[in-house]
Protein backbone atom coordinates (compact mmCIF):
# COMPACT_ATOMS: atom_id res chain seq x y z
CA UNK A 1 0.00 0.00 0.00
CA UNK A 2 2.88 2.35 0.76
CA UNK A 3 4.41 1.58 -2.64
CA UNK A 4 1.12 2.49 -4.33
CA UNK A 5 1.04 5.79 -2.45
CA UNK A 6 4.56 6.60 -3.60
CA UNK A 7 3.71 5.68 -7.19
CA UNK A 8 0.65 7.92 -7.10
CA UNK A 9 2.76 10.74 -5.70
CA UNK A 10 5.20 10.42 -8.60
CA UNK A 11 2.39 10.41 -11.16
CA UNK A 12 0.80 13.52 -9.65
CA UNK A 13 4.08 15.37 -9.12
CA UNK A 14 3.86 17.51 -12.32
CA UNK A 15 0.43 18.78 -11.27
CA UNK A 16 1.68 19.41 -7.75
CA UNK A 17 4.54 21.56 -9.02
CA UNK A 18 2.05 23.84 -10.79
CA UNK A 19 0.48 24.65 -7.38
CA UNK A 20 3.72 26.21 -6.13
CA UNK A 21 4.93 29.61 -7.27
CA UNK A 22 8.28 30.93 -6.10
CA UNK A 23 10.18 33.93 -7.45
CA UNK A 24 12.92 36.36 -6.49
CA UNK A 25 13.53 39.69 -8.20
CA UNK A 26 14.96 43.17 -7.65
CA UNK A 27 12.59 46.11 -7.29
CA UNK A 28 14.01 49.52 -8.26
CA UNK A 29 13.28 52.49 -6.00
CA UNK A 30 10.06 54.43 -6.74
CA UNK A 31 8.74 51.74 -9.04
CA UNK A 32 5.93 49.19 -9.10
CA UNK A 33 6.00 45.56 -10.16
CA UNK A 34 2.99 43.23 -10.37
CA UNK A 35 2.73 39.47 -10.79
CA UNK A 36 -0.44 37.85 -12.12
CA UNK A 37 -1.82 34.34 -11.86
CA UNK A 38 -5.13 32.68 -12.74
CA UNK A 39 -6.63 30.59 -9.93
CA UNK A 40 -9.81 28.52 -9.79
CA UNK A 41 -12.83 29.08 -7.57
CA UNK A 42 -12.86 28.08 -3.86
CA UNK A 43 -9.09 27.56 -3.72
CA UNK A 44 -7.01 28.32 -0.65
CA UNK A 45 -4.02 30.55 -1.46
CA UNK A 46 -1.17 31.13 0.97
CA UNK A 47 2.00 33.09 0.54
CA UNK A 48 5.14 34.24 2.28
CA UNK A 49 7.23 37.25 1.33
CA UNK A 50 10.47 38.87 2.41
CA UNK A 51 11.64 42.29 1.26
CA UNK A 52 15.20 43.48 1.60
CA UNK A 53 15.51 46.56 3.78
CA UNK A 54 16.76 49.85 2.34
CA UNK A 55 17.18 53.15 4.21
CA UNK A 56 14.47 55.77 3.64
CA UNK A 57 12.49 53.32 1.52
CA UNK A 58 9.02 51.92 2.12
CA UNK A 59 7.57 49.05 0.13
CA UNK A 60 3.84 48.39 -0.01
CA UNK A 61 2.26 45.05 -0.88
CA UNK A 62 -1.24 44.72 -2.30
CA UNK A 63 -3.15 41.72 -3.66
CA UNK A 64 -6.26 42.31 -5.76
CA UNK A 65 -8.54 40.47 -8.17
CA UNK A 66 -9.64 41.58 -11.63
CA UNK A 67 -12.41 43.71 -10.06
CA UNK A 68 -9.82 45.61 -7.98
CA UNK A 69 -11.10 44.08 -4.74
CA UNK A 70 -8.32 44.12 -2.15
CA UNK A 71 -7.60 40.68 -0.72
CA UNK A 72 -4.49 41.62 1.22
CA UNK A 73 -2.70 44.89 1.83
CA UNK A 74 0.38 45.77 3.84
CA UNK A 75 2.12 49.13 3.99
CA UNK A 76 5.83 49.35 4.74
CA UNK A 77 6.04 45.57 4.35
CA UNK A 78 9.26 43.76 5.24
CA UNK A 79 8.41 40.14 5.97
CA UNK A 80 5.16 38.29 6.48
CA UNK A 81 2.53 35.82 5.35
CA UNK A 82 -0.91 36.09 3.77
CA UNK A 83 -3.81 33.77 3.03
CA UNK A 84 -7.17 34.03 1.29
CA UNK A 85 -9.74 31.82 -0.42
CA UNK A 86 -10.84 32.61 -3.95
CA UNK A 87 -14.55 33.26 -4.49
CA UNK A 88 -14.47 32.74 -8.25
CA UNK A 89 -12.16 31.78 -11.09
CA UNK A 90 -10.22 34.96 -11.66
CA UNK A 91 -6.94 36.66 -12.42
CA UNK A 92 -5.19 37.70 -9.22
CA UNK A 93 -2.49 40.34 -9.04
CA UNK A 94 0.29 40.69 -6.46
CA UNK A 95 1.86 44.16 -6.57
CA UNK A 96 4.95 45.53 -4.84
CA UNK A 97 5.43 49.30 -4.86
CA UNK A 98 8.57 51.03 -3.63
CA UNK A 99 8.48 54.62 -2.40
CA UNK A 100 11.44 56.74 -1.33
CA UNK A 101 12.25 60.46 -1.15
CA UNK A 102 15.65 59.59 -2.57
CA UNK A 103 16.04 59.75 -6.32
CA UNK A 104 16.22 56.71 -8.54
CA UNK A 105 19.75 55.39 -8.78
CA UNK A 106 20.80 56.76 -5.39
CA UNK A 107 19.38 53.75 -3.49
CA UNK A 108 20.16 50.11 -4.40
CA UNK A 109 17.35 47.93 -5.71
CA UNK A 110 15.45 45.87 -3.16
CA UNK A 111 15.57 42.09 -3.26
CA UNK A 112 12.09 40.56 -2.98
CA UNK A 113 11.38 36.89 -2.35
CA UNK A 114 7.85 35.60 -2.86
CA UNK A 115 6.54 32.08 -2.30
CA UNK A 116 2.92 31.33 -3.16
CA UNK A 117 1.02 28.09 -2.81
CA UNK A 118 -2.55 27.25 -3.68
CA UNK A 119 -4.79 24.25 -3.56
CA UNK A 120 -3.36 21.14 -1.97
CA UNK A 121 0.07 22.66 -1.34
CA UNK A 122 -1.48 25.51 0.66
CA UNK A 123 -2.97 23.14 3.24
CA UNK A 124 -1.08 22.43 6.45
CA UNK A 125 -1.20 18.65 6.64
CA UNK A 126 0.93 18.59 9.77
CA UNK A 127 -1.81 20.41 11.65
CA UNK A 128 -4.44 18.13 10.11
CA UNK A 129 -2.45 15.10 11.26
CA UNK A 130 -2.25 16.46 14.80
CA UNK A 131 -5.94 17.28 14.99
CA UNK A 132 -7.17 14.04 13.46
CA UNK A 133 -4.30 11.92 14.86
CA UNK A 134 -3.33 10.50 11.50
CA UNK A 135 -0.37 8.30 10.75
CA UNK A 136 2.23 9.45 8.16
CA UNK A 137 0.86 7.12 5.52
CA UNK A 138 -2.69 8.27 6.20
CA UNK A 139 -1.57 11.88 5.87
CA UNK A 140 0.06 11.12 2.51
CA UNK A 141 -3.08 9.35 1.31
CA UNK A 142 -5.20 12.30 2.43
CA UNK A 143 -2.90 14.61 0.53
CA UNK A 144 -3.14 12.46 -2.62
CA UNK A 145 -6.90 12.30 -2.25
CA UNK A 146 -7.13 16.09 -2.13
CA UNK A 147 -4.78 16.37 -5.09
CA UNK A 148 -6.84 13.89 -7.11
CA UNK A 149 -9.98 15.89 -6.33
CA UNK A 150 -8.21 19.05 -7.47
CA UNK A 151 -7.27 17.38 -10.77
CA UNK A 152 -10.86 16.21 -11.29
CA UNK A 153 -12.10 19.74 -10.69
CA UNK A 154 -9.56 21.08 -13.18
CA UNK A 155 -10.75 18.64 -15.84
CA UNK A 156 -14.38 19.52 -15.09
CA UNK A 157 -13.56 23.19 -15.52
CA UNK A 158 -11.73 22.50 -18.79
CA UNK A 159 -14.73 20.54 -20.05
CA UNK A 160 -17.06 23.38 -19.12
CA UNK A 161 -14.83 25.91 -20.89
CA UNK A 162 -14.73 23.64 -23.95
CA UNK A 163 -18.54 23.51 -24.01
CA UNK A 164 -18.75 27.29 -23.68
CA UNK A 165 -16.27 27.79 -26.50
CA UNK A 166 -18.14 25.29 -28.68
CA UNK A 167 -21.42 27.11 -28.04
CA UNK A 168 -19.74 30.41 -28.87
CA UNK A 169 -18.32 29.00 -32.10
CA UNK A 170 -21.69 27.57 -33.12
CA UNK A 171 -23.40 30.88 -32.37
CA UNK A 172 -20.76 32.76 -34.35
CA UNK A 173 -21.06 30.37 -37.30
CA UNK A 174 -24.86 30.81 -37.29
CA UNK A 175 -24.53 34.59 -37.29
CA UNK A 176 -21.99 34.47 -40.10
CA UNK A 177 -24.33 32.23 -42.12
CA UNK A 178 -27.29 34.58 -41.66
CA UNK A 179 -25.13 37.58 -42.50
CA UNK A 180 -23.87 35.84 -45.66
CA UNK A 181 -27.44 35.03 -46.74
CA UNK A 182 -28.51 38.61 -46.04
CA UNK A 183 -25.53 39.95 -48.03
CA UNK A 184 -26.34 37.67 -50.97
CA UNK A 185 -29.99 38.78 -50.95
CA UNK A 186 -28.89 42.42 -50.90
CA UNK A 187 -26.51 41.85 -53.82
CA UNK A 188 -29.17 39.97 -55.81
CA UNK A 189 -31.71 42.72 -55.09
CA UNK A 190 -29.23 45.43 -56.09
CA UNK A 191 -28.32 43.61 -59.30
CA UNK A 192 -32.02 43.13 -60.19
CA UNK A 193 -32.73 46.82 -59.54
CA UNK A 194 -29.78 47.83 -61.73
CA UNK A 195 -31.04 45.64 -64.58
CA UNK A 196 -34.55 47.16 -64.49
CA UNK A 197 -33.18 50.68 -64.06
CA UNK A 198 -30.83 50.36 -67.02
CA UNK A 199 -33.60 48.79 -69.10
CA UNK A 200 -35.92 51.74 -68.41
CA UNK A 201 -33.06 54.17 -69.05
CA UNK A 202 -32.22 52.66 -72.43
CA UNK A 203 -35.89 52.56 -73.38
CA UNK A 204 -36.23 56.21 -72.46
CA UNK A 205 -33.27 56.99 -74.71
CA UNK A 206 -34.83 54.77 -77.40
CA UNK A 207 -31.68 52.68 -77.53
CA UNK A 208 -33.64 49.47 -77.14
CA UNK A 209 -37.23 48.55 -77.80
Amino acid sequence: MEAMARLAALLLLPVLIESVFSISFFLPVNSRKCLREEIHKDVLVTGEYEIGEQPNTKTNLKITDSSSHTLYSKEDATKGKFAFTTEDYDMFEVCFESKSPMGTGRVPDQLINLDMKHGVEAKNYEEIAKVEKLKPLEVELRRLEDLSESIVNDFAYMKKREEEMRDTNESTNTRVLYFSIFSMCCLIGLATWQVFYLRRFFKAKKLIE
Side-chain angles (χ1 to χ4, degrees):
M1 186 174 182
E2 184 176 357
M4 292 179 62
R6 291 180 178 177
L7 178 59
L10 290 175
L11 292 175
L12 298 176
L13 183 60
V15 180
L16 192 63
I17 293 175
E18 294 180 357
S19 301
V20 181
F21 177 80
S22 180
I23 187 173
S24 297
F25 60 92
F26 287 96
L27 180 67
V29 178
N30 294 324
S31 66
R32 186 170 183 262
K33 184 175 181 63
C34 295
L35 306 172
R36 297 180 180 88
E37 185 174 6
E38 292 183 352
I39 304 178
H40 291 285
K41 180 181 179 181
D42 297 328
V43 175
L44 174 64
V45 180
T46 62
E48 185 174 358
Y49 60 90
E50 184 174 0
I51 303 173
E53 296 183 4
Q54 295 291 354
N56 300 319
T57 302
K58 292 183 178 181
T59 303
N60 301 329
L61 169 61
K62 190 174 184 180
I63 303 176
T64 57
D65 57 16
S66 61
S67 301
S68 298
H69 296 150
T70 301
L71 303 174
Y72 178 84
S73 180
K74 179 69 174 179
E75 294 185 358
D76 195 12
T78 55
K79 185 178 181 180
K81 298 179 180 180
F82 59 84
F84 61 89
T85 301
T86 59
E87 296 182 355
D88 199 358
Y89 180 84
D90 205 347
M91 176 72 73
F92 297 89
E93 188 175 65
V94 182
C95 292
F96 294 89
E97 185 175 9
S98 174
K99 296 182 179 181
S100 174
M102 308 289 288
T104 304
R106 301 179 60 183
V107 180
D109 297 345
Q110 289 179 285
L111 175 62
I112 296 180
N113 297 313
L114 175 64
D115 292 323
M116 285 184 63
K117 299 178 181 179
H118 56 81
V120 177
E121 280 301 297
K123 293 184 179 180
N124 191 337
Y125 286 93
E126 293 182 359
E127 291 296 328
I128 295 177
K130 291 179 181 179
V131 173
E132 300 184 13
K133 298 179 180 180
L134 300 177
K135 297 179 181 179
L137 181 58
E138 293 175 333
V139 174
E140 185 65 23
L141 290 176
R142 171 70 66 83
R143 184 165 172 268
L144 293 176
E145 180 182 359
D146 292 342
L147 183 58
S148 301
E149 182 180 356
S150 176
I151 294 174
V152 171
N153 292 335
D154 288 343
F155 276 112
Y157 175 78
M158 292 172 62
K159 182 178 180 181
K160 180 181 178 181
R161 290 289 295 172
E162 181 185 1
E163 293 175 353
E164 292 176 352
M165 293 179 65
R166 184 174 64 251
D167 293 340
T168 301
N169 290 335
E170 292 177 355
S171 176
T172 302
N173 291 337
T174 301
R175 293 178 181 179
V176 170
L177 176 62
Y178 289 154
F179 180 75
S180 300
I181 295 174
F182 175 75
S183 299
M184 291 179 61
C185 292
C186 290
L187 291 174
I188 293 173
L190 179 60
T192 304
W193 176 81
Q194 286 180 336
V195 169
F196 283 104
Y197 175 80
L198 292 175
R199 184 177 180 83
R200 287 197 302 269
F201 176 79
F202 289 139
K203 280 186 176 181
K205 298 295 183 179
K206 298 181 178 181
L207 298 175
I208 61 173
E209 294 183 356

